[in-house]
Amino acid sequence: MERALIIGASGGIGTAIAYELTAKGVDVVALSRRTHGLNFIDASAAETLLAGVEGPFDLVLVVTGALTSTRDRPEKSLAELGAEEMAAQFAVNAIGPALVMKHAKRWLPRKGRSVFAVLSARVGSIGDNRLGGWYSYRASKAALNQVLKTGSIELARTHKEAICVALHPGTVSTRFTENFAAPNKLPPTESASRLIAVIDGLEAHQTGAFFDWKGERIPW
């Protein structure tokens, strides 16, 4: 890997991934809301910013996301479901990465191995949903997964060695999860290291799939 584009590089996981790739000698181009004003709530402005980015990149990695947008916690029941929260979650978690993927055809080389990866979440898996709740977050991540799967099919027609995958980073100890009680949270550096290892080990026939930070496949 020689050159990587990290979308959302100012967050805990994004910062750790950018740091590790740079330490490995990879030329990292980093975009974030904090530094560059990349805000997927404003889709038009985001499109303008993305249009100015020039490839090629061996890796394009999208690590943006939001657990909630207008609430202090995810919905626990249908009674808590609201249009404003759901729309905001889709804007950040599904539409934003979709806009990034639209540019993948010009960023990724047509010849040689390349990877387009986006951080999804295990709770976005329909097949793995056993607890319910978290409606907006689950639905937006499931939509993201469908965009990734569909995009991987189109991209394979022109980029034969490109690999498009959704990745679950684990429950990572960041500001994103600080109010979320969960055992065994991963440090951002460990999650980053594991995700990079998964990316490095991917093969072309695995495009369009969903993997966790240990490299294990997650059902859609």
Side-chain angles (χ1 to χ4, degrees), residues 5-10 29-33 35-36 38 49-50 53:
L5 173 63
I6 310 298
I7 305 291
S10 64
V29 176
L31 291 180
S32 69
R33 182 174 61 178
T35 305
H36 305 93
L38 181 61
L49 181 58
L50 293 171
V53 177

Side-chain angles (χ1 to χ4, degrees), residues 65-87:
L67 184 62
T68 60
S69 296
T70 66
R71 299 169 49 87
D72 60 0
R73 59 173 176 78
E75 311 96 339
K76 291 184 178 180
S77 67
L78 283 168
E80 298 180 359
L81 195 60
E84 183 181 12
E85 173 67 10
M86 181 164 277

Side-chain angles (χ1 to χ4, degrees), residues 164-178:
C164 299
V165 292
L167 298 173
H168 171 57
T171 302
V172 184
S173 181
T174 65
R175 187 171 59 181
F176 184 89
T177 63
E178 63 185 358

Side-chain angles (χ1 to χ4, degrees), residues 9-52:
S10 64
I13 300 175
T15 298
I17 289 175
Y19 180 84
E20 180 159 338
L21 288 177
T22 300
K24 291 177 177 288
V26 178
D27 178 17
V28 174
V29 176
L31 291 180
S32 69
R33 182 174 61 178
R34 184 180 305 165
T35 305
H36 305 93
L38 181 61
N39 182 1
F40 290 131
I41 295 295
D42 186 347
S44 178
E47 279 273 49
T48 299
L49 181 58
L50 293 171

Side-chain angles (χ1 to χ4, degrees), residues 203-214:
E203 299 180 0
H205 69 88
Q206 294 173 305
T207 191
F210 187 8
F211 298 95
D212 71 7
W213 56 280
K214 295 176 287 186

Side-chain angles (χ1 to χ4, degrees), residues 105 109-111 153-162:
K105 293 183 75 171
R110 285 183 175 246
K111 293 184 178 180
I153 295 170
E154 178 178 345
L155 195 61
R157 296 171 185 152
T158 54
H159 297 64
K160 302 299 183 182
E161 297 178 69

